């Protein structure tokens, strides 16, 4: 998936999804685009580097996902217990969409 496909997919999950560049004060993270529902981030990535699309994940699912898919890894600047990183340059679109949808649902419950 490319940047526009990722962005469009995240925004398509709900009319309540908001996108922001929340880390402007940090030089290394100025280009990190984050997607929110209910004031909570469910997906974020650097718009110039899609090797680390970071999404929330149930902590009990993280080990199995990491073992099953070599395109998954540790999140960019997130707690690896609750977040997982996706290399969007290598992962299949269906996997990316499934993980983003799951993250959205986990986050949406916190509203």
């Amino acid at each position: 998936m490319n940047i526009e496909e990722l962005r469009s997919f995240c925004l398509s999950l709900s009319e309540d999804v908001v996108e922001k560049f929340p880390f402007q004060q940090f030089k290394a993270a100025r280009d990190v685009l984050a997607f929110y529902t209910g004031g909570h981030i469910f997906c974020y990535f650097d718009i110039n580097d899609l090797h680390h699309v970071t999404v929330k994940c149930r902590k009990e699912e993280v080990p199995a996902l990491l073992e099953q898919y070599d395109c998954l890894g540790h999140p960019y600047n997130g707690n690896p217990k609750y977040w997982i990183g996706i290399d969007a340059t290598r992962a299949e679109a269906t996997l990316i969409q499934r993980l983003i949808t799951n993250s959205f649902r986990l986050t949406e419950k916190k509203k």
Side-chain angles (χ1 to χ4, degrees), residues 5-42:
E5 291 167 330
L6 279 169
R7 182 178 172 271
S8 293
F9 183 76
C10 288
L11 292 172
S12 76
L13 294 171
S14 169
E15 291 179 2
D16 297 329
V17 172
V18 176
E19 62 181 330
K20 300 179 188 176
F21 287 95
F23 308 113
Q24 293 298 300
Q25 70 272 30
F26 303 107
K27 185 178 180 181
R30 285 188 183 138
D31 293 332
V32 172
L33 179 60
F35 295 88
Y36 294 76
T37 183
H40 299 282
I41 295 175
F42 68 90

Side-chain angles (χ1 to χ4, degrees), residues 11-77:
L11 292 172
S12 76
L13 294 171
S14 169
E15 291 179 2
D16 297 329
V17 172
V18 176
E19 62 181 330
K20 300 179 188 176
F21 287 95
F23 308 113
Q24 293 298 300
Q25 70 272 30
F26 303 107
K27 185 178 180 181
R30 285 188 183 138
D31 293 332
V32 172
L33 179 60
F35 295 88
Y36 294 76
T37 183
H40 299 282
I41 295 175
F42 68 90
C43 178
Y44 63 92
F45 52 84
D46 186 316
I47 61 171
N48 301 307
D49 181 6
L50 298 180
H51 288 93
H52 295 285
V53 174
T54 303
V55 296
K56 283 196 180 241
C57 191
R58 287 188 175 90
K59 67 179 181 177
E60 60 272 8
E61 294 177 6
V62 171
L65 286 168
L66 292 174
E67 187 174 313
Q68 186 175 2
Y69 298 100
D70 65 351
C71 59
L72 302 181
H74 293 293
Y76 173 78
N77 207 22

